Structure formats: C-alpha cells, structure tokens
Amino acid sequence: MNRRMIAYILGWVLIAEAMLMMPSLLIGIVYREESYRYFLLPMLLLLLLGAALVIRRPRNTAIFARDGCFIVAASWAALSIFGALPFYFSGSFQTIWDCIFEITSGFTTTGASILSDVESLPKCILFWRSFSHWVGGMGVLVFVLAIAPLAGNRSLHLLRAEVPGPVVGKLVPRVRATAKILYGVYSVLTVILIVLLRLGGMSLFDSVCHAFGAAGTGGFSVKNAGIASYDSAYIEIVLGIFMLLFGVNFNIYYCLLIRHAKEALKSEELQWYVTIVVLSTAAITINVFSLYQNFGVSLRHAFFQVSSILTTTGYATADFAQRWPAFSQHLLVMLMLIGACAGSTGGGLKISRLILLVKSFYQEIRHVISPRAVRVVRLDGAIVENETLDSTRVYFISYILIICVSTLLLSLDGFDFTTNLAAEIACFNNIGPGIGLVGPTGNYSAYSAFSKMLLSVNMLLGRLEIYPILIVFSRSAWRK
Amino acid sequence: MILRAFYKEQTYEKQVVSFKPALQNGHNAGMVKTFFVMFLLEASFIKTIIVGGGKVGQSLAQQLLLEEYDVTIVDRSSRVVEQARTTLDIIGIVGNGAAYPVLESAGAKDADLLIALTASDETNMLCCLTAHQLGAKHTIARVRSPEYYDQLFFLKECLGLSMAVNPELAAAEEITRILRFPSATKVEIFARGRVELVSYHVTESNGLCGTILSDLPHKTGIKVLICVVEHGDNVVIPSGNYRIAADDTLYFTGAPEQIVAAFRKLGLLTERVQNVLIIGGGRISYYLATQLAKDKIHVKIIEKDAARAVELASLLPKANVLQGDASNHELLMEEGLNRQDAFVALTGLDEGNILSSIYAHHLRVPKVIAKVNNDNLVSLIHDGGLESIISPKRITTSQILRFARALSAGRDREDILALYQIVGGRVEVMEFRAASAAYCDMPLKTLPIRPNILIACIVRQGKTIIPNGDDVIQQDDSVLVVTAGQRLIRLADILQGNV
C-alpha cells in the first residue's frame, strides 16, 4: 500500500473541499449573514491540513486497485466530517451526529434530512447543503483529477472506485481529459436547468439550489414542502425531465456531442431506462387516478414521482408515503432498488446490472430446459465476460445482505418494519424519502445517533458501490 | 473485481474520434459549441494507436504519455489490454489490429500515428496497410524477418509505411560497432557517422582515476568531450572540475578518429577483435555474423536447435556453426571460450545470457556482450561486472520515439535528426538541425542555456567541432545536445524561458 500517495491525493481532496466552500461563504456575504463564522475556520483547517499533505510529492506515484479504494473511501469520509463543520458552527443542528448525517446525505446525493424546518436556516448553509449534492453527484475525485497534478497513468483506479457502474471506461485516452469532459457536460446541463427553472418563476437562489439537487440526483430542497410548494406544472415537468437526463450514462452525451447519435441511442441500458419510466408512469397514473379524479394531474404526479425515485433524486410533489395506494408505493420501492443508469449521477443497483441479472436469469432457465445449451449473455451486441457477470451477481448478493443486516440493526430503535426497511433502502440507494415515517413529509430526526451513523455509512456504501468502503474494514487490505 | 473491457470499450469507446473534425466544423456549429469543445480540449494531442500491447508496446506507450500523445492500445488478448488499461493512461481495445472494424473503432481514421508491434510481421504490415487506407497519417511496422525486411524498399510505398523497424538488425548493428571498437562498452553514431558517442567504464586500476576533467585536454592534446558520467544510480552532466572516480562510466563524444586517438594517448585502446563466439542462433546472430564477415572477423555460433543450426550454416557459409547447448560450460570451454577476443550471448533467455556472460567475464574474455530485454534485470547486471548490454526492446523504442518526436516537431524546419537514450533511458542525446535566429551566431557562453543541458558537438559542413564558450551555432549546423531529465522538441527549448 502506497501510504504517501494516498495521503498526497487526500491532501488535494481537502484543498478542493476548501475551494468548494468558497461559493457558500460568498453567498453568505451577499445575503449579509455571518457566513464567515461558519465557513472560515473549516476552510482554514482544510487548507492547512491539505497543504501539509501535498507539500511534497511522493517519489513513487504508483497506486494499485487497493490504494484507489482506500483513497476514495478516505476522501469521502474526510469530506463528510469536514463538510459537517459549517453546519455545526451555524448552530442550526442539535448534535454533531446530525450534522454528519446531513452532509453525508448531501455528498452521497441521498437527500435524507433530519431537519423539519429548512426555511429557517441561513441561506449560506442551505447553499452548502445543496452544493454538496452537485459536488458529490459527479464525484469529488473526478473533480480533483480534472484540476490537480496527479499521477496520470494509474488514476483509472480512482475513477473506477468513484464512478458508479459495473464497468468503467474512459471517453478519451487521458483520464484528465475524460474528467474535464464529464464535468463540462455536467455543468452545461446544470446551467440550462437553472435558466429553465428561473423562467418558471422560481427565485434565482431557489433555482440554483434545486438545480444542484436535481443534477446530483440528491433531493435537498430549500422549501419545507419541497417542490410541491411551487405548485407549478411547468416546474415539475422541467425538473422531471432533467432528473431523468441526469440519470442517463454521461458517456451517451459525449457520443451525442461528437455526433454519434445512432450508436448512443442504440444503448440497451438507455432503452430499458426509458421503458421502465414509461411503464411505471402508466401503471401509477392508472392506480392513483381514483385519488386525483383528473387524468392530467395523475399523470403529472406519477411522472414526477417515477422520475424522482428511479433516478434516486427524492424530490416529492405528492405525499406518496401517506396517501398513495399500496400498489404505487410498492412500485416506487422497486424503482428505488433499481436506480439510474451506470455512469450517471444516480444511485441504486443501476439499470445495467439489472439487465445483466435478468439476462443471466433467462440464460439459467434456458440451461435448465436444455442442459447442453451454451450460456452467453450479450449487452449492446457484445458478449459479456463471465468475470463481469460473476462480479455483478456477487455485487447483488452483497447489496441484499447489507440491506438485511442494516434493517435489523435499525429495528433496535423500535420503529415499525416498513419505516426501517424504507429508511434503509432510501439511504442505501441514495434516494432520501422512503415510505412510512420517513416519507416525503417526515424526516430522519427521530432515529438514534447510532442509527444515524449507520445510515450515513450506508449512504457511503451506496454511493461508492460497496467495495471501496468494505475494503477499509477488511484486514487483508491493511496487511503489507 | 477484474472488469473486462467489454462494455465501454466496445460500445462507447468505439465512438472516440478526434476532436479535430469537430473543431474544423466548429464555425458552422455555432460559437457555443466551439467554445464548449475548446474548453474540453487540453491541447491537440497527437493521436497514436499502438497495435500489440506487449513489452515494447507498453514501454513505448509509457514514454509517449509523458509528452503530448494520446495513446490507444489494441491487442487480441483481453488480459493484456486490461493490464495496460490499469497501469497506463490509455484506452484499450480488444481485437485483431489488422481488422477494419477494430482499427476503425480505435480511431485509425484520424490517427496521426499507428505503430504495429504484434508478434507477426504479416499482421504488422497488413495492419499498417489497413490503417493507411482508413486514413492514418503515419504508420510504423515492426518487420523482423530478413526476407520481408529486404523487400520493404519496394513494398513500403504501396503499404503506406512511414518507417519499418527491425530490432534485431538494429541490435546487430550496435554490436558490430562495439566489436569494431572494443575499448568501449557501447558505441552510438550521430550525424551519419561523423560523431560517435562512446561509453567507457573506469576500473580501479585505471590511470584515469582521480583525473580532473578540465586536465584531460592537456593530457591528450586532443579535443574530446565527456558529456555524461554515470556512477551507480547517479547520472550527471559533469562540469570541468569533476574528478573521475573508480566505477564511473564515462561517455565520450567526438569524431571517431579523434576518439581513437584520444584513447590511444590515454592508453585505453585494446586490440582489434579477430575471433568472436556467439551463443544463440537467432536473427540477431544471423545479422551480426553477416556484418562481421564483411570485417573478416571469424565467427563461431553455437545454436541449440539442430534444424536451425543447419539453416544458419547454409545461410552463413563463412561462419562456423555448432549445434549444442550453450548453457553447458564444458562445451564453451571445448570451443575455446577462454581464447576468444569477444563473447556475445544472444539466446532467447535473458537469465541464460547473463549467466554465460558472467562466466565468460570470469574467464577474462576481453569483450563480453549480453542481450537482455528485461529492464529490471539490467540494473542488477552491473554488479556482476558486465558492461555491454544490448536491448533490442530499447533500441526499438528509441527508434520509434525519434520518429514520433519528429512528427510533433511538425511544421518546424528544425527537425530532430536523431534521438538516443542512454543510461537506461535517463539521458537523451538529440541531434537537431539549427534554424532559429534565437541562438544562431551567438557565442555559446552568452546563451542562457538551461541547467542539465550540454551542447556536445556541432557538425558544420562535414567538420566536427567540440564547442567551447566562444564557439557559435550557425544556420544548418547539426547540433548534438545531451540532456538529463528534460524533454526537448525543438533546439530552441535549450534556452531558458523557452519551454
């Protein structure tokens, strides 16, 4: 394990976080709040620590898969702990555990909150909360790779540990250029969304914060009632469409950019994604029609909810946890498990993994019928290697195990089974609101400090796709 | 979790094409898009495709990545591609590099350079032909077989080849140069043979020990320059007050006759080689024996494989070909190893070559040369007392790099004429043609030359000048520059502030 290189890259991450706090500080100054009291100290701390770590570039810059996982896990843990400091200094939160839960939920783009009255918070704190979604969505190491002078040759290990999906590829040969393209596409889409929301009558501050929430597929709102408080069909449709756009594999935008639309639209994952959205929206529209007695309104709510849940954003316009029929609730929970496309900002199991699992299931059935049949799984016309299939299956098993064990531990707090399971699923898949007591109108404040930390770890497990976090706890990884 | 390159590699990365067409169409597509594309671009990197991701392919990619090249590696084996993808900042594609769809998905259409380094000559040539037809600007093929290499002079054009590399031939040429001048551990030629770079290992009993460099001209009365000194792991470009120590390896530059004269004055000259024993009957041995035969040097080759031995005997009527296992020391003694002037180990096994060479060294064979392809082994060997190491892999890499650098120098008139890597690639010797007024006609001592750069030689109208501070560079001179750890693209890069 190359400890010096891990420390070096971690140092850059800390410096990047200090830089990322800058906009929040400025927002506070613009709104005449005491933002310097919340942000200056953490920024100074981050800069000093970061500078101490990067002051000497290690001679040996080679990192391996294990180091990549360590760097990513350590960076995200550091991000969450230092990111919680402004919250703590602002005095709007009761305990440090609440602060850590809230910021982890921000960086992992979960959007689960312990706050009941967000409107009373200072604007700079609200901005930091939403901005953390935007940063966490594309990944902070991808950001660091784009700006800092890091080892180029082996940085794929970092990209791999941070960018979600069963297989991570680069767009162009250089990691650095790839990181820039990803952030470029991401920023342009975000700016378009801000402009569109502003045109829909949202205030500039609200549009920026909500655009960040949608772009990172996070889900923090700056209103107590969330998106429902605007009660505007335009805003809901714009947000619904953009959440879906951010849930698409970003490689597809790159293909469109270099005019390879045909190949981009042929992507099987994209086709499944669209199909799932259309079918679930239709099913929920019919199911909730009796509730709203209006086809347009039912469709609007159904579409927004499907888009928000499938992309793991977690914005809500309707209280599906309390008012919607069981069928719709169940369907939404299933969408939570599936999640968005690989290589997007969304969480969950990922559509491409679902495709691989369904296809290998189908192959297994075929194999039972005719035992001599050769099992071949194809994706986008290419044969999927057995190694990839195996790792996908094992991933699915670990995914289910983590949900089971965590829900068991959560149940120590004494809430009902539905609430515990929904809370676990909503945090692990980085969605935010679940059903039961943690639905769109509820929050997570009732859970004990232990459960909040457990859920925070779960959010990190979900965002970084399990292994980078688990590896830190494995003894063989620490061995020389 | 070993993830194979099936998904992105074969779907999305297929679409990786150059930004250049997008940029050219930029003005139709509107300002916003042009700006966007510009923002994403770091610089217009030179797009390189390497077909065959073996040892040479990967070490070449590693070198190219340090400069402004984008590298895509194509290989048939998914394991090789996966390994290259995780250790190098490249895109990997699995497939047959001579097949149209594979090359197309690797972006051969607008590649600036394609380098074919697969194990098969035929594949390499077909690969270059296909890439050329697809629109690759330059192609380089490795062609090892003597039959094919000899006929390349009339195939080159229709194959669209910019260059053919024959590592074995190049290695044989290098060995021949050393055997012609056996005092040196290595001899390289520049400026079409007008300048030589000769390395010499100083032993403890040597008269040079303790000499200060600036005293050398008085001692010899002849102008030669010591441009690099290697001592253990340290490599320095020495100043005048450097004191020579035991175990230094000195690199002399100068005109060949001057170097010979200087060596004679210093008492370092050894006798001409007349008998050579070669073990291993591969292609290098064939080329080497042919070249040595021209110099009337007697060659004895020991080859293990009976059929190959017979083949060699028929190809090389003047050589004495023996069949036997060269790792058997009794056989070597029987063939008079201790009476040979030189011993060259060229079998396929690096370790075998090293061991036999150490054995020959102990028998006090005056000149011992070993072929070692594995870089990791090279650093170990110096401890065993071996000085002359030939690595066909490194020769190939530096030949291709020279071509690639010339490409990146691009429009400039002042081309890189040659590039040599010495001391395990840590020092580069480059030959430039002078063109710019930035440094011409000014005494060298007035030029703000960056540290760790030495102007070793100037060749003007066939005359070799070892420059001192009062000499000037003139238009169209060939200038030999020695650098440690700095990469030069143009001659102007030697000046401070021009990076």
Side-chain angles (χ1 to χ4, degrees):
Chain A
M1 202 162 59
N2 190 342
R3 283 169 202 233
R4 304 212 28 204
M5 195 61 193
I6 294 175
Y8 179 75
I9 295 180
L10 185 64
W12 279 107
V13 170
L14 296 181
I15 291 176
E17 190 176 16
M19 279 161 56
L20 292 170
M21 282 185 181
M22 205 63 202
S24 311
L25 181 74
L26 295 177
I27 294 274
I29 290 169
V30 169
Y31 283 100
R32 295 175 195 288
E33 293 163 351
E34 294 180 315
S35 62
Y36 52 90
R37 269 189 34 212
Y38 320 145
F39 287 98
L40 268 186
L41 193 62
M43 279 169 79
L44 213 63
L45 204 64
L46 283 167
L47 277 179
L48 280 178
L49 263 173
L53 290 176
V54 301
I55 204 150
R56 269 186 55 210
R57 192 186 163 87
R59 197 179 284 173
N60 175 14
T61 57
I63 53 168
F64 299 95
R66 164 163 66 166
D67 305 294
C69 289
F70 259 92
I71 291 168
V72 170
S75 303
W76 281 74
L79 271 183
S80 304
I81 290 164
F82 286 102
L85 291 181
F87 286 171
Y88 189 66
F89 292 135
S90 75
S92 316
F93 296 81
Q94 273 143 17
T95 64
I96 184 77
W97 310 118
D98 287 359
C99 302
I100 292 179
F101 179 89
E102 193 80 7
I103 199 68
T104 312
S105 160
F107 278 121
T108 57
T109 73
T110 306
S113 181
I114 48 97
L115 296 168
S116 45
D117 181 17
V118 288
E119 283 165 35
S120 67
L121 259 61
K123 293 255 200 242
C124 57
I125 291 294
L126 282 179
F127 185 83
W128 176 233
R129 197 168 159 259
S130 294
F131 191 54
S132 64
H133 277 333
W134 194 79
V135 173
M138 190 48 80
V140 72
L141 277 149
V142 177
F143 180 72
V144 169
L145 280 176
I147 57 157
L150 292 181
N153 273 343
R154 292 170 188 265
S155 40
L156 190 68
H157 290 306
L158 298 179
L159 212 61
R160 214 175 242 178
E162 190 169 58
V163 175
V167 177
V168 171
K170 287 187 278 182
L171 301 166
V172 291
R174 302 256 176 180
V175 162
R176 199 192 175 110
T178 304
K180 278 191 180 172
I181 290 170
L182 288 176
Y183 258 97
V185 171
Y186 191 44
S187 312
V188 168
L189 279 176
T190 311
V191 169
I192 296 174
L193 177 57
I194 292 174
V195 171
L196 287 178
L197 289 179
R198 186 77 190 84
L199 292 177
M202 218 185 249
S203 78
L204 184 60
F205 182 79
D206 293 8
S207 7
V208 169
C209 286
H210 285 127
F212 285 163
T217 65
F220 277 150
S221 175
V222 291
K223 292 275 183 252
N224 288 338
I227 303 301
S229 66
Y230 298 98
D231 194 26
S232 149
Y234 169 83
I235 285 176
E236 284 169 28
I237 289 165
V238 165
L239 268 178
I241 290 171
F242 268 82
M243 286 188 289
L244 286 177
L245 288 180
F246 284 111
V248 172
N249 192 329
F250 274 56
N251 292 6
I252 286 180
Y253 298 123
Y254 180 70
C255 291
L256 291 177
L257 197 73
I258 58 167
R259 300 178 186 176
H260 283 258
K262 226 186 239 168
E263 284 93 341
L265 298 178
K266 258 196 249 162
S267 153
E268 257 183 80
E269 190 176 25
L270 187 66
Q271 290 166 0
W272 277 61
Y273 182 61
V274 173
T275 313
I276 291 174
V277 170
V278 170
L279 290 182
S280 332
T281 308
I284 293 182
T285 308
I286 296 164
N287 191 237
V288 299
F289 183 69
S290 55
L291 208 67
Y292 296 103
Q293 294 300 329
N294 177 329
F295 179 73
V297 176
S298 315
L299 182 65
R300 190 177 122 192
H301 286 307
F303 170 68
F304 188 86
Q305 250 21 267
V306 166
S307 154
S308 165
I309 295 297
L310 182 66
T311 61
T312 73
T313 309
Y315 280 142
T317 56
D319 190 0
F320 54 83
Q322 307 294 334
R323 294 183 58 205
W324 282 17
F327 172 79
S328 296
Q329 285 184 358
H330 196 128
L331 191 58
L332 287 177
V333 171
M334 279 170 66
L335 294 183
M336 285 184 187
L337 293 173
I338 294 172
C341 298
S344 72
T345 62
L349 187 66
K350 305 286 166 335
I351 308 254
S352 58
R353 282 207 184 88
L354 178 76
I355 299 175
L356 292 183
L357 289 171
V358 169
K359 284 191 175 176
S360 46
F361 171 70
Y362 173 74
Q363 289 298 332
E364 200 55 43
I365 300 271
R366 240 189 86 220
H367 183 70
V368 172
I369 296 168
S370 46
R372 279 173 183 272
V374 176
R375 280 173 282 191
V376 175
V377 172
R378 284 170 186 277
L379 189 66
D380 289 335
I383 292 172
V384 182
E385 291 247 326
N386 272 334
E387 270 176 86
T388 311
L389 285 178
D390 283 344
S391 73
T392 306
R393 292 180 201 127
V394 174
Y395 181 87
F396 184 66
I397 295 165
S398 1
Y399 176 88
I400 296 292
L401 273 177
I402 286 174
I403 291 180
C404 294
V405 173
S406 304
T407 311
L408 181 71
L409 290 173
L410 280 183
S411 58
L412 289 172
D413 277 4
F415 296 104
D416 62 297
F417 175 70
T418 316
T419 303
N420 291 335
L421 185 63
E424 167 57 22
I425 289 177
C427 284
F428 185 43
N429 292 306
N430 304 140
I431 293 142
I435 51 176
L437 297 179
V438 293
T441 51
N443 62 57
Y444 288 77
S445 54
Y447 274 107
S448 67
F450 167 75
S451 300
K452 279 173 190 159
M453 286 305 102
L454 179 71
L455 288 173
S456 301
V457 171
N458 262 299
M459 292 183 223
L460 287 174
L461 279 170
R463 171 61 182 82
L464 302 178
E465 305 216 306
I466 301 177
Y467 297 115
I469 297 289
L470 279 194
I471 275 171
V472 176
F473 295 108
S474 101
R475 202 195 297 168
S476 64
W478 287 94
R479 230 172 255 156
K480 287 218 166 144
Chain B
M1 201 169 40
I2 301 165
L3 300 168
R4 224 274 275 149
F6 83 92
Y7 179 53
K8 304 278 162 52
E9 302 286 82
Q10 295 190 353
T11 57
Y12 301 117
E13 286 181 3
K14 253 184 204 176
Q15 284 88 48
V16 173
V17 287
S18 165
F19 273 120
K20 277 172 196 153
L23 269 181
Q24 280 153 10
N25 300 334
H27 49 89
N28 326 329
M31 282 295 283
V32 178
K33 187 158 180 181
T34 315
F35 173 78
F36 190 48
V37 173
M38 290 290 281
F39 162 78
L40 299 172
L41 266 179
E42 289 224 280
S44 53
F45 284 126
I46 296 173
K47 288 181 58 62
T48 314
I49 300 170
I50 297 177
V51 181
K55 278 184 287 186
V56 178
Q58 292 204 16
S59 90
L60 191 62
Q62 200 166 10
Q63 293 279 340
L64 291 174
L65 285 170
L66 294 174
E67 295 163 38
E68 66 275 38
Y69 298 84
D70 268 351
V71 180
T72 305
I73 288 183
V74 181
D75 200 289
R76 289 194 101 134
S77 144
S78 59
R79 201 185 299 164
V80 168
V81 168
E82 177 56 30
Q83 193 254 334
R85 247 163 57 88
T86 48
T87 52
L88 297 166
D89 199 0
I90 52 124
I91 275 188
I93 289 179
V94 181
N96 176 358
Y100 177 89
V102 176
L103 277 179
E104 199 191 17
S105 66
K109 256 180 197 158
D110 33 30
D112 297 298
L113 178 61
L114 178 131
I115 305 161
L117 298 169
T118 67
S120 133
D121 287 350
E122 291 87 343
T123 312
N124 290 345
M125 290 192 279
L126 187 58
C127 175
C128 287
L129 178 62
T130 318
H132 181 68
Q133 291 297 321
L134 262 166
K137 288 189 200 77
H138 297 277
T139 59
I140 298 176
R142 178 167 69 182
V143 181
R144 304 181 116 140
S145 140
E147 293 96 326
Y148 292 148
Y149 192 77
D150 290 344
Q151 72 189 23
L152 271 181
F153 69 95
F154 76 90
L155 278 184
K156 219 169 162 182
E157 205 137 294
C158 47
L159 286 175
L161 273 185
S162 312
M163 183 168 115
V165 191
N166 186 341
E168 282 78 16
L169 181 59
E173 280 169 354
E174 197 167 323
I175 298 170
T176 310
R177 280 200 297 272
I178 300 175
L179 291 178
R180 281 185 189 143
F181 189 51
S183 313
T185 48
K186 201 166 252 183
V187 179
E188 314 233 33
I189 53 165
F190 299 90
R192 289 191 218 90
R194 294 215 173 85
V195 182
E196 278 185 353
L197 176 83
V198 172
S199 58
Y200 179 78
H201 187 79
V202 182
T203 50
E204 226 164 299
S205 55
N206 196 297
L208 273 180
C209 268
T211 315
I212 293 174
L213 282 195
S214 52
D215 290 346
L216 269 183
H218 307 301
K219 264 194 180 175
T220 59
I222 294 168
K223 286 187 82 174
V224 287
L225 181 78
I226 293 179
C227 58
V228 180
V229 177
E230 183 190 359
H231 187 96
D233 277 345
N234 290 326
V235 178
V236 286
I237 292 184
S239 61
N241 50 18
Y242 182 85
R243 186 183 288 274
I244 298 171
D247 270 338
D248 277 357
T249 301
L250 310 174
Y251 290 79
F252 291 83
T253 47
E257 60 283 358
Q258 283 175 330
I259 294 186
V260 173
F263 269 59
R264 186 170 294 131
K265 273 270 169 65
L266 292 168
L268 306 176
L269 210 60
T270 43
E271 275 180 44
R272 214 177 91 83
V273 170
Q274 277 169 329
N275 296 298
V276 177
L277 177 65
I278 300 174
I279 63 165
R283 289 193 188 119
I284 306 184
S285 311
Y286 164 73
Y287 289 124
L288 181 62
T290 327
Q291 286 165 11
L292 293 179
K294 284 182 204 151
D295 284 5
K296 304 230 172 357
I297 295 174
H298 183 255
V299 177
K300 201 181 268 186
I301 301 176
I302 302 179
E303 163 62 37
K304 203 173 182 179
D305 182 63
R308 174 68 184 166
V310 172
E311 191 186 349
L312 268 180
S314 67
L315 283 171
L316 301 163
K318 283 181 182 161
N320 185 4
V321 181
L322 311 160
Q323 192 268 317
D325 185 357
S327 62
N328 179 354
H329 290 175
E330 202 159 320
L331 173 67
L332 292 178
M333 287 306 287
E334 200 180 307
E335 291 310 319
L337 174 60
N338 50 350
R339 294 188 307 274
Q340 298 292 324
D341 299 323
F343 173 78
V344 187
L346 298 174
T347 65
L349 260 178
D350 282 357
E351 291 83 352
N353 289 341
I354 294 170
L355 292 177
S356 311
S357 301
I358 292 176
Y359 181 61
H361 187 74
H362 280 297
L363 290 176
R364 300 183 189 280
V365 176
K367 192 73 211 169
V368 178
I369 301 172
K371 181 192 90 170
V372 179
N373 253 332
N374 186 341
D375 279 338
N376 299 331
L377 291 173
V378 172
S379 54
L380 298 175
I381 297 164
H382 288 290
D383 303 336
L386 299 179
E387 292 128 23
S388 291
I389 307 288
I390 295 290
S391 157
K393 173 187 147 192
R394 186 169 302 144
I395 294 172
T396 317
T397 321
S398 81
Q399 275 186 336
I400 296 173
L401 269 182
R402 190 197 318 166
F403 184 90
R405 290 235 176 117
L407 264 191
S408 70
R411 307 165 285 268
D412 296 342
R413 245 172 45 76
E414 39 174 12
D415 298 341
I416 292 190
L417 299 173
L419 167 108
Y420 293 87
Q421 295 185 319
I422 54 177
V423 204
R426 290 164 70 187
V427 174
E428 290 185 345
V429 183
M430 277 169 265
E431 187 184 339
F432 293 98
R433 182 176 295 122
S436 160
Y439 45 77
C440 278
D441 299 322
M442 301 213 294
L444 292 182
K445 61 184 173 194
T446 62
L447 288 176
I449 293 173
R450 285 156 62 197
N452 272 332
I453 285 182
L454 181 80
I455 297 178
C457 242
I458 298 173
V459 179
R460 184 175 303 149
Q461 286 157 3
K463 264 186 63 197
T464 309
I465 302 163
I466 304 291
N468 58 34
D470 297 319
D471 282 310
V472 295
I473 298 174
Q474 290 179 5
Q475 196 88 16
D476 286 330
D477 281 355
S478 281
V479 182
L480 227 68
V481 180
V482 180
T483 73
Q486 275 160 357
R487 275 152 216 293
L488 307 179
I489 303 294
R490 289 165 295 136
L491 185 51
D493 293 343
I494 61 169
L495 302 179
Q496 241 145 23
N498 274 356
V499 183

